[in-house]
Amino acid sequence: MTPYATHARRVAGTVGDSAPRPDGPLKVRGAFAYSSDLEAEGMLWGTTLRSPHPHARILSVDTSAALALPGVRAVLTHRDVPGRNLHGSMVVDQPVLAVDTVRYEGEPVAVVAAEDPETARRAAELVHVAYEVLPPVTDAEAALAPDSPAVHPAGNLLRHVPLRRGRAARGEPLTADVVVRGVYEVGMQDQAFLGPESGLAVPDPDGGVSLHVATQWLHVDHDQVVEALGLPREKVRLYLAGVGGAFGAREDLSMHAHACLLALRTGRPVKMCYTRGESFVGHVHRHPARMAYEHGATRDGRLVYVKASIVLDGGAYSSSSPAVAGTVATCSLGPYEVPDAEVDVRVVYTNNPPCGAMRGFGAVQTCFGYESQMDRLARELGMDPVELRIRNAVAEGSAVANGQVLDHPAPVAELLRRVRERPMPGPSLPEGGHLTGTTSRGESVVRGVGYAVGFKNVGFVEGFDDYSTARVRLEAGGGQVRAVVTSAAAEVGQGVVTVQAQIARTELGVEQVAVEFGDSAFGSAGPSSSSRQTYVTGGAVKAAAEAVRARVLERADRLLGRAGTATGLSGEAVTGAGGEVLCKLADVLGDGAVEETVEWHHRPTFPLDPHTGQGDSVFQFAFAAHRAVVDVDVELGLVRTVEIATAQDVGKAVNPQALLGQIHGGTVQGLGLALMEEIRVEGGLMQNPSFTDYLIPTVHDVPPMHVDVLELADPHAPYGVRGVGEPPNISSPAAVAAAVRDATGLALPRIPLRPEDVAGLTAADDAGGR
Amino acid sequence: MRLTLTVNGEQRDIEGVAGTESLLYVLRQRLGLHGAKNACEQGQCGSCSVHLDGVLVCACLVPAPQAHGRSVETVEGLAGGDGPHPVQEAFLACGAVQCGFCTPGMLKATEDLLRRCPDPGEAEIKDALAGNLCRCTGYRHILEAVRLAAARTRALEPRP
Ligand code: FES
Ligand code: FES
């Protein structure tokens, strides 16, 4: 063998580098194939006929006029669903196509396939459905009353999570020197990803079907589509198509089964692509919440107890509501030491739009509740609000609401100090803009500052084993070595595709890494949700790469004729104990590729006790704090966010640039919830399903953001990582609302804040009292 | 109807276009150019932004017949023969692309801005991008990318 430089060169793009996205070049060329871009020879277009009523009995469906329209190839109703006409990722309660009742506005009743989208749309209009309109159940609290009409036969209570700690668990009364109470509300937020629900179903020669679809988890979709189609599992194949954002809205089925049904019926490929208006009714939303909180504390500002009654509007079908309720309960006390607690979380069926997963998954709503209370308590005690939080902050070794003792860093006090210690922004005008336009010269503009800290579980909880599968292959050819990583982890924009390549480079010391998407026949990677992919699929890729490395090192030892000499892979070479190069990796791989597949499980979690909500239900918690600075025109009710500072513990910054992108994006979605984003529902009917009427932050709404990243390794996690996607979304709404309260002196118990609230013109302000 | 237009410098003739089709539909479905995106098809998001005779428009709002005889430039035409456009490079360098669904529209809006205004200030940048929604990035990396693209473009083009 030829001699080499003594030490291996460093490979670029490993863990800790801001490695570029492998899909970036295609995306900037407009050549990345999103699910809405797919086409096939002879393709038909599918469309969905939806209920215009939030609650109605279906008396009859007449498809004859639609079928008679030239260019229409199929019109299907529930009678055409060969398998189980129900889906649901947790509770199977949602019809693929409505049978005799519709329970929300927009519920699918029939699907149509035609030669072009316009014909399909016209045909759907020609399907005649006779409805007997029923009164909708639209108030979640009223739905719990014994005399409320039932949305589902088993009643309207979808899940109740009681939580009892300390004196409350022993049945003793909860008392304290200082008590504050408040009732808080959070409106219905939409994920508002830009890439519409869409996909292409292609019939296969074996009588099966291939579905190319944008999703967060192929495998849970696959389970449900298989059931609906009544086909053997192996005849239904799901492939990940390009995903234009997700944020929880792609955890449930949308057009998946419908397109497959149409493709199987017509024998032709069928594409479905929702319009924006349809997208608003075609996916679940963030649960509206009403939260009555009572905090008891000592005079010197130590929390003694928390009582809370939290009602979430789950809408017409369960989606992931049961899990959201669990998260709300587990996070309901905030990242604070609270000896005694009595919390009841109820999620309820109504005839409102179904709610389910959205980034933050219940932790967002409850954070607005407990952080509003912490500010109220600070005022009551005459204490600095940050000081009060620090005094009660959990740390490693503390127990949180579910009784679980934190066995990893929990730097809550440090995060708060960091955002507090940032220099305050000056009184300058916004970056090149004006606050009040032409209606005011800013004479009534008041500055406000607000703080919030939040936390949430990473990954699935309560005993659910959301493992991930990864295959790593190391191969040589033409003197080059490269690794190929395969997993079914859905790339939804967050960058899991980049992270997988970085991990393979780190473990195998090779530069060239290709990341391939496994389809539904490959092992599951679990969902791209709950901030879990870097941890869990990252863990799987790391483990598979380590297994490959071990085999390569054995092979190198044999080649070198000495066992135990080869100890590492670096710079495309095999290295010894001192980091010295022993031989080229390509020479070792000359005999053939090395491949390993690993199914990787995070440490187990356990159910919550059904009476006390106690249990080690979580494998990792993640924390972030925000400080928001706002300028408020207190007469016009207008808010301009001047600056947001974030401090977040990420365990290990695997890709610092992508991490910042997550923190910016999550923080801004929270800012949107605080100031503008709400699906308004009246009588079960959505009032604003368009980007004209449902506002998301534009570039003008976004302030400079300062991000302080802590890297305190979690000893249980691969590389010490901590999930990063959700924490920035959890405390930013509460921080922004707190800042507006600080400026206005109003109680502002409800988000999003409307101009009339901020100007002090609504009765809503009295609800919480002050 | 028959539609003739120039797309990224190439003349295209399309038969059988319905008068109700949008320019976006023609680009995406009849010409197979999927770069311009379809996030709302109601003129509210900017993801479908293209140049029509040099003017930045939402392709979803332009009835196809109005594009007859005119010149359209899409994101697919941004890169030249000698490689990516500086705006494309800057978006990648700054981490301004996550899901990327807003990216083609953002790139076109940025290109348009830099054509008009090679040294834009903060207000001009924000005004130029105000019609383009992004749900992923929180816009900060996009703003950085626009500033970087402007600096690089100025460095490339010698001043008189
Ligand atoms: S798709 Fe044209 S503006 Fe949204
Ligand atoms: S990167 Fe996803 S919408 Fe902008």
Side-chain angles (χ1 to χ4, degrees):
Chain A
M1 269 181 224
T2 37
Y4 306 103
T6 321
H7 280 278
R9 85 189 151 79
R10 190 182 174 280
V11 160
T14 54
V15 168
D17 293 347
S18 290
R21 304 182 63 95
D23 55 11
L26 280 178
K27 285 178 173 175
V28 297
R29 293 210 315 267
F32 184 79
Y34 294 91
S35 55
S36 52
D37 300 333
L38 304 176
E39 286 180 2
E41 195 69 41
M43 176 178 95
L44 298 172
W45 289 78
T47 195
T48 314
L49 174 70
R50 297 172 181 278
S51 165
H53 308 295
H55 196 196
R57 195 160 294 133
I58 296 176
L59 303 176
S60 63
V61 181
D62 180 358
T63 61
S64 54
L67 277 166
L69 190 70
V72 172
R73 297 291 168 251
V75 182
L76 307 182
T77 68
H78 71 94
R79 291 181 206 288
D80 303 295
V81 178
R84 182 183 74 187
N85 183 33
L86 283 175
H87 66 89
S89 58
M90 293 183 188
V91 183
V92 180
D93 65 354
Q94 185 158 3
V96 175
L97 290 169
V99 182
D100 49 10
T101 308
V102 286
R103 297 183 178 84
Y104 71 98
E105 179 201 20
E107 179 159 358
V109 176
V111 287
V112 177
E115 296 289 343
D116 62 82
E118 182 60 17
T119 305
R121 194 190 59 76
R122 280 172 47 219
E125 281 176 4
L126 291 173
V127 175
H128 185 256
V129 186
Y131 292 104
E132 179 196 340
V133 176
L134 302 170
V137 176
T138 58
D139 182 288
E141 285 184 7
L144 285 171
D147 57 346
S148 168
V151 177
H152 290 275
N156 294 337
L157 181 61
L158 176 46
R159 188 183 182 194
H160 171 206
V161 187
L163 193 135
R164 301 288 181 273
R165 288 176 56 71
R167 282 185 287 172
R170 299 190 296 273
E172 297 165 24
L174 301 184
T175 52
D177 292 345
V178 182
V179 175
V180 292
R181 296 184 184 86
V183 178
Y184 306 95
E185 280 182 24
V186 176
M188 186 185 288
Q189 190 180 19
D190 189 63
Q191 298 85 349
F193 51 50
L194 289 202
E197 289 89 345
S198 44
L200 177 71
V202 184
D204 288 322
D206 65 355
V209 63
S210 293
L211 175 68
H212 303 261
V213 68
T215 179
Q216 292 177 238
W217 189 6
L218 281 178
H219 290 72
V220 78
D221 294 352
H222 184 248
D223 290 344
Q224 297 169 81
V225 173
V226 162
E227 290 291 342
L229 300 180
L231 284 172
R233 294 185 68 77
E234 61 281 4
K235 287 201 172 180
V236 180
R237 303 159 185 96
L238 263 64
Y239 301 88
L240 184 69
V243 185
F247 317 116
R250 297 190 208 270
E251 286 192 18
D252 301 273
L253 294 192
S254 57
M255 44 60 66
H256 307 52
H258 299 155
C260 291
L261 289 168
L262 290 168
L264 288 166
R265 171 63 66 96
T266 59
R268 288 170 63 177
V270 174
K271 173 170 176 165
M272 294 184 88
C273 180
Y274 288 4
T275 63
R276 180 52 51 180
E278 197 177 10
S279 176
F280 270 97
V281 296
H283 60 246
V284 299
H285 310 97
R286 188 188 299 291
H287 291 80
R290 188 171 163 86
M291 305 174 284
Y293 265 101
E294 178 180 316
H295 279 58
T298 60
R299 293 237 163 262
D300 65 347
R302 297 221 167 260
L303 290 174
V304 174
Y305 75 86
V306 171
K307 278 190 199 179
S309 172
I310 298 174
V311 177
L312 307 168
D313 186 345
Y317 294 102
S318 68
S319 181
S320 43
S321 280
V324 171
T327 296
V328 170
T330 300
C331 298
S332 59
L333 308 181
Y336 301 117
E337 301 252 18
V338 183
D340 304 332
E342 181 183 319
V343 177
D344 289 282
V345 181
R346 292 179 177 85
V347 61
V348 182
Y349 284 125
T350 64
N351 294 114
N352 289 326
C355 289
M358 181 174 173
R359 193 178 198 168
F361 206 74
V364 173
Q365 294 93 317
T366 187
C367 182
F368 176 66
Y370 61 70
E371 287 299 81
S372 298
Q373 281 286 94
M374 291 304 274
D375 284 341
R376 182 165 288 186
L377 181 60
R379 264 196 319 274
E380 184 71 26
L381 294 167
M383 256 182 95
D384 174 76
V386 177
E387 213 41 58
L388 175 68
R389 287 173 168 85
I390 289 175
R391 189 161 295 182
N392 291 284
V394 293
E396 190 164 356
S398 305
V400 291
N402 62 345
Q404 185 164 352
V405 174
L406 300 171
D407 61 356
H408 55 54
V412 174
E414 173 69 10
L415 295 172
L416 284 162
R417 281 190 201 103
R418 287 199 179 208
V419 291
R420 178 177 62 185
E421 278 156 22
R422 272 211 75 79
M424 279 289 176
S428 59
L429 269 177
E431 295 174 299
H434 300 279
L435 175 62
T436 46
T438 53
T439 49
S440 138
R441 271 165 299 284
E443 56 273 24
S444 52
V445 173
V446 181
R447 172 71 49 103
V449 180
Y451 293 87
V453 60
F455 81 130
K456 182 187 173 284
N457 58 284
V458 170
F460 281 16
V461 296
E462 298 184 44
F464 193 102
D465 182 17
D466 52 324
Y467 66 90
S468 181
T469 316
R471 181 172 71 204
V472 173
R473 178 183 167 86
L474 193 57
E475 60 191 25
Q480 298 272 313
V481 284
R482 71 163 200 158
V484 183
V485 179
T486 308
S487 83
E491 172 56 53
V492 299
Q494 83 280 43
V496 66
V497 67
T498 323
V499 163
Q500 292 178 78
Q502 290 179 260
I503 291 173
R505 287 190 199 105
T506 305
E507 299 304 327
L508 300 173
V510 299
E511 193 119 9
Q512 292 303 316
V513 180
V515 178
E516 295 179 346
F517 291 114
D519 59 33
S520 55
F522 193 81
S524 173
S528 289
S529 54
S530 211
S531 310
R532 61 175 285 289
Q533 283 295 21
T534 296
Y535 189 130
V536 188
T537 292
V541 173
K542 181 170 189 276
E546 285 167 345
V548 166
R549 187 178 63 211
R551 281 180 51 199
V552 171
L553 293 178
E554 268 174 38
R555 217 190 256 186
D557 275 346
R558 280 201 302 279
L559 204 65
L560 296 163
R562 275 166 306 168
T565 324
T567 58
L569 298 180
S570 178
E572 299 180 0
V574 177
T575 53
E580 77 282 11
V581 170
L582 300 175
C583 62
K584 268 190 181 174
L585 182 53
D587 294 341
V588 182
L589 290 172
D591 323 2
V594 177
E595 180 182 297
E596 289 285 346
T597 302
V598 168
E599 192 181 286
W600 192 81
H601 301 254
H602 57 71
R603 55 191 174 136
T605 64
F606 301 92
L608 295 174
D609 179 280
H611 306 292
T612 64
Q614 302 294 288
D616 290 350
S617 58
V618 173
F619 65 87
Q620 183 184 59
F621 287 96
F623 307 85
H626 284 96
R627 182 188 72 191
V629 180
V630 298
D631 279 344
V632 181
D633 188 314
V634 295
E635 284 179 6
L636 295 175
L638 298 179
V639 178
R640 185 176 69 81
T641 318
V642 177
E643 186 209 80
I644 296 188
T646 310
Q648 183 171 340
D649 175 22
V650 304
K652 169 76 190 169
V654 175
N655 185 317
Q657 187 186 60
L659 165 71
L660 279 186
Q662 285 295 304
I663 294 176
H664 292 161
T667 302
V668 169
Q669 286 183 2
L671 182 154
L673 175 59
L675 296 179
M676 62 189 85
E677 293 188 36
E678 180 171 12
I679 296 181
R680 286 182 291 106
V681 181
E682 281 170 28
L685 298 170
M686 217 180 260
Q687 303 298 303
N688 55 340
S690 76
F691 283 155
T692 300
D693 299 316
Y694 181 90
L695 302 180
I696 66 172
T698 72
V699 71
H700 277 304
D701 300 306
V702 170
M705 287 184 264
H706 295 285
V707 179
D708 210 340
V709 171
L710 267 73
E711 296 184 89
L712 305 181
D714 177 345
H716 309 284
Y719 306 108
V721 298
R722 199 180 285 284
V724 300
E726 292 170 294
N729 185 219
I730 291 169
S731 44
S732 67
V736 171
V740 179
R741 282 187 197 125
D742 183 48
T744 59
L746 296 168
L748 302 174
R750 184 183 197 282
I751 51 172
L753 303 171
R754 294 157 298 195
E756 58 268 37
D757 303 334
V758 175
L761 301 177
T762 37
D765 201 59
D766 305 330
R770 174 105 197 224
Chain B
M1 62 175 284
R2 181 193 168 92
L3 194 68
T4 303
L5 70 174
T6 307
V7 181
N8 298 327
E10 214 181 295
Q11 191 183 316
R12 310 292 294 257
D13 296 293
I14 314 151
E15 298 287 351
V17 173
T20 50
E21 289 176 23
S22 68
L23 174 58
L24 182 64
Y25 186 85
V26 167
L27 291 171
R28 290 176 57 82
Q29 305 310 330
R30 299 205 175 261
L31 298 176
L33 290 170
H34 293 111
K37 303 259 80 76
N38 57 333
C40 76
E41 299 190 69
Q42 292 176 311
Q44 300 152 352
C45 76
S47 73
C48 62
S49 301
V50 299
H51 279 102
L52 181 61
D53 281 350
V55 177
L56 193 70
V57 296
C58 290
C60 70
L61 290 183
V62 177
Q66 270 185 25
H68 186 69
R70 299 171 75 180
S71 165
V72 179
E73 294 159 84
T74 72
V75 68
E76 285 95 339
L78 258 185
D82 46 349
H85 191 279
V87 172
Q88 291 171 309
E89 287 180 327
F91 268 63
L92 291 180
C94 295
V97 179
Q98 289 187 27
C99 86
F101 211 82
C102 69
T103 304
M106 289 284 182
L107 293 171
K108 289 302 290 179
T110 307
E111 182 208 14
D112 184 69
L113 168 69
L114 299 185
R115 275 188 201 177
R116 292 183 277 115
C117 178
D119 192 6
E122 199 69 21
E124 285 153 318
I125 295 177
K126 286 189 166 182
D127 283 343
L129 301 184
N132 292 76
L133 297 178
C134 173
R135 191 53 158 169
C136 300
T137 64
Y139 303 100
R140 299 313 302 188
H141 284 165
I142 291 177
L143 289 170
E144 255 175 56
V146 176
R147 287 190 288 258
L148 178 65
R152 285 189 180 167
T153 312
R154 284 197 304 278
L156 288 177
E157 279 158 21
R159 263 158 230 240

